[in-house]
Amino acid sequence: MKNFVLILFSVIMLSACTNQNIGDNPLKDGQDMMLKVLTELKNGNPTEADRIIGEYLEIYSEKDLQERTEFVNGSSESHWNLMAANPTPEWETFFDKMRPLMEWYITTGTSLQSLPNYSKLQQLHTSTTAAMAHPSE
């Protein structure tokens, strides 16, 4: 029983530590989220991929406009393409990890659209982009 309590406590502490890191760096969080999501899809775990998106959305839906913008940019393939024009060492590190997953994603025909939280991520992207275009409204 003592071992069980110790294990349960350890799991709770580890999950709390993991969640505390989300929200500290919006651009990196967007990148990390997509890396995790595509990894889970590749491993045949769409439910876990959807849960991951939901975890990030829960945090970033409540952030200010600047942080939401950085987050949605970090998760956007179009932003990655822009970064490719002037890569930084940090971006190249991300791209090196993401490249095999993107190649897998493109060649398998797997769809992010099938994940309910991906639609919510797209809505956050659309509303954030609109708010940035018309900040006074």
Side-chain angles (χ1 to χ4, degrees), residues 2-81:
K2 185 177 177 183
N3 286 340
F4 176 75
V5 172
L6 181 60
I7 291 170
L8 181 60
F9 180 73
S10 297
V11 168
I12 291 169
M13 291 304 293
L14 285 174
S15 68
C17 291
T18 301
N19 290 339
Q20 287 176 350
N21 293 334
I22 298 174
D24 293 342
N25 184 337
L27 186 65
K28 185 174 181 329
D29 284 347
Q31 294 172 345
D32 288 347
M33 179 192 69
M34 291 308 293
L35 183 69
K36 291 174 186 176
V37 166
L38 289 176
T39 298
E40 290 301 331
L41 286 176
K42 185 177 180 184
N43 292 333
N45 301 319
T47 303
E48 181 62 13
D50 192 54
R51 186 201 63 75
I52 290 167
I53 295 172
E55 181 179 26
Y56 282 86
L57 285 176
E58 189 174 307
I59 292 168
Y60 278 99
S61 294
E62 303 299 321
K63 295 283 188 176
D64 66 31
L65 183 59
Q66 182 63 39
E67 289 178 298
R68 283 195 324 262
T69 299
E70 290 177 28
F71 171 71
V72 297
N73 282 343
S75 67
S76 166
E77 187 177 349
S78 60
H79 178 74
W80 304 341
N81 290 334

Side-chain angles (χ1 to χ4, degrees), residues 73 76-87 91 94-95 102 106:
N73 282 343
S76 166
E77 187 177 349
S78 60
H79 178 74
W80 304 341
N81 290 334
L82 288 175
M83 292 296 295
N86 296 304
W91 184 84
F94 163 73
F95 189 69
M102 288 302 294
I106 291 168

Side-chain angles (χ1 to χ4, degrees), residues 60-131:
Y60 278 99
S61 294
E62 303 299 321
K63 295 283 188 176
D64 66 31
L65 183 59
Q66 182 63 39
E67 289 178 298
R68 283 195 324 262
T69 299
E70 290 177 28
F71 171 71
V72 297
N73 282 343
S75 67
S76 166
E77 187 177 349
S78 60
H79 178 74
W80 304 341
N81 290 334
L82 288 175
M83 292 296 295
N86 296 304
T88 63
E90 181 180 303
W91 184 84
E92 286 178 342
T93 300
F94 163 73
F95 189 69
D96 287 344
K97 289 188 272 183
M98 186 58 109
R99 183 182 331 204
L101 288 169
M102 288 302 294
E103 289 171 359
W104 167 84
Y105 180 74
I106 291 168
T107 58
T108 63
T110 301
S111 174
L112 288 167
Q113 308 295 337
S114 64
L115 304 175
N117 282 324
Y118 186 74
S119 295
K120 293 176 185 175
L121 176 64
Q122 288 181 311
Q123 290 170 357
L124 179 67
H125 181 66
T126 301
S127 65
T128 301
T129 302

